[in-house]
Structures are given as structure tokens and as C-alpha cells.
Amino acid sequence: MIIPLYFSGKKPMKGFYSIALLVLSNVFMTVAWYGHLKSENSKKLTFWVLSAAILVSWGIAFFEYCLQVPANRIGYKGNDGPFSLIQLKVIQEVISLLVFMVFTVIVFKGESFKWNHIAAFCLIVVAVYLVFKK
């Protein structure tokens, strides 16, 4: 599926596919990095519990990389995509924060977002504006 998308010559579609893959990639990343904190064993910090959490997280992160690498290759200007390297990184960070916020609200119901968290996110949106400003 990814190969035909990569070779399509349409830059706007490459941007869309790149962003869609980044969103999916970040879902896997967020689950890998933070999902184990929800388990019953998250309070235990024994060698075996920590080792299992690391191995499971690496297994999940494998799928993140399977999506992240093509997303960057499709979207990068050097590969005839619409985004510069810096733009790709800022897009990825914003997507990462959005996915994290949704994940936190759904999975960790005890966590709450405060005004300063929202203000910080707004500043990141300003960063996106500045990165894309010509």
C-alpha cells in the first residue's frame, strides 16, 4: 500500500499521506511509551516487570517505525514531498502532543489538563505557524 503512495507524483496527496502515517505512528508511540503505566504491575519496579515493559514497548514501537519512516520519506522535499525537514519535525511534534492529549483523556481519566498546558500547546501551534511562514 505504501509503495504506490510514495511514487505518486501529487505533492498535496503526499502531504496528506505523510501526516496520516505520522498520526498512526504516534498512536503506536504513545501506547508504547505510556500504555504500560496503566497496567497493574506499573507500581512494581522489579527487574522482570521492568524488562517485560521494555520488551513489550519495543515490540509496539516497531510498528511506530514501520509508519514513521515512510511518513518522513513521503513528506520530505528531498524526496519530492511538500515539507522541509524542519516542517516535518514540527508537524510530528504537534501530532505527538495531540495524540498524547487524546490518549491521556481516554486512558488516564484521573489526569487533567490545566490552563498552562493549553497555553503551552497554543505556543506550539504558534511555532507551527512560524515554521511554515515564508
Side-chain angles (χ1 to χ4, degrees):
M1 177 181 141
I2 292 173
I3 301 298
L5 301 178
Y6 180 71
F7 290 108
S8 90
K10 301 174 186 158
K11 278 191 185 184
M13 290 308 293
K14 283 188 171 190
F16 171 79
Y17 292 133
S18 180
I19 290 171
L21 288 170
L22 285 172
V23 169
L24 292 173
S25 165
N26 276 281
V27 168
F28 281 105
M29 178 195 73
T30 302
V31 170
W33 286 14
Y34 302 105
H36 59 88
L37 296 175
K38 192 66 175 169
S39 76
E40 294 296 321
N41 290 327
S42 69
K43 293 181 176 86
K44 299 177 187 174
L45 198 55
T46 67
F47 172 78
W48 295 112
V49 170
L50 187 58
S51 297
I54 291 168
L55 289 174
V56 169
S57 293
W58 270 87
I60 296 168
F62 169 78
F63 296 101
E64 175 212 348
Y65 285 98
C66 288
L67 297 167
Q68 178 87 17
V69 171
N72 287 328
R73 292 184 69 85
I74 291 168
Y76 180 53
K77 268 187 183 168
N79 293 333
D80 200 33
F83 307 119
S84 72
L85 187 60
I86 294 169
Q87 289 171 333
L88 271 171
K89 182 59 181 169
V90 171
I91 291 168
Q92 189 275 328
E93 292 301 330
V94 169
I95 290 170
S96 178
L97 285 173
L98 284 171
V99 169
F100 177 77
M101 287 177 13
V102 171
F103 177 83
T104 301
V105 167
I106 292 171
V107 177
F108 291 90
K109 298 192 187 322
E111 297 285 327
S112 63
F113 289 100
K114 298 181 175 86
W115 73 267
N116 56 324
H117 302 138
I118 295 168
F121 185 74
C122 289
L123 292 174
I124 292 170
V125 171
V126 170
V128 171
Y129 169 77
L130 292 174
V131 163
F132 280 89
K133 187 167 175 47
K134 301 255 184 223

